[in-house]
Amino acid sequence: MGFFCLTFDLCRAISREAARKRRRVESDVFGDLSQLLPLQPSVRANLDKPSVIRLTLSYIRMHTLLKGNTSHQTH
């Protein structure tokens, strides 16, 4: 019984550490992405993850739309 408990506790600790690492990497990616948005640093500092995704999608859509309009106007 002691071996199983030790193994189970070890597996649980490894799993917790892996989850922490995934969250850390995810937070870093969201931080990098928010740095690329054309926003004031004070606004950027208060963004949550869904807001970063929403603003990034809006920025990409707007950029794509404007780029498409510009290419049609030059032809």
Side-chain angles (χ1 to χ4, degrees), residues 29-56:
V29 169
F30 274 98
D32 292 346
L33 187 57
S34 70
Q35 291 294 318
L36 297 172
L37 291 170
L39 300 170
Q40 295 293 324
S42 59
V43 173
R44 235 184 276 132
N46 295 315
L47 293 177
D48 59 355
K49 291 174 184 177
S51 295
V52 171
I53 294 291
R54 195 170 37 255
L55 289 169
T56 301

Side-chain angles (χ1 to χ4, degrees), residues 13-71:
I14 290 170
S15 178
R16 271 196 308 264
E17 186 56 37
R20 274 191 210 107
K21 183 177 180 181
R22 280 192 304 275
R23 286 191 299 270
R24 208 174 317 125
V25 168
E26 181 183 88
S27 291
D28 290 346
V29 169
F30 274 98
D32 292 346
L33 187 57
S34 70
Q35 291 294 318
L36 297 172
L37 291 170
L39 300 170
Q40 295 293 324
S42 59
V43 173
R44 235 184 276 132
N46 295 315
L47 293 177
D48 59 355
K49 291 174 184 177
S51 295
V52 171
I53 294 291
R54 195 170 37 255
L55 289 169
T56 301
L57 287 172
S58 295
Y59 179 77
I60 291 169
R61 287 178 183 137
M62 184 180 67
H63 183 70
T64 303
L65 180 67
L66 292 175
K67 185 178 177 184
N69 285 343
T70 304
S71 64

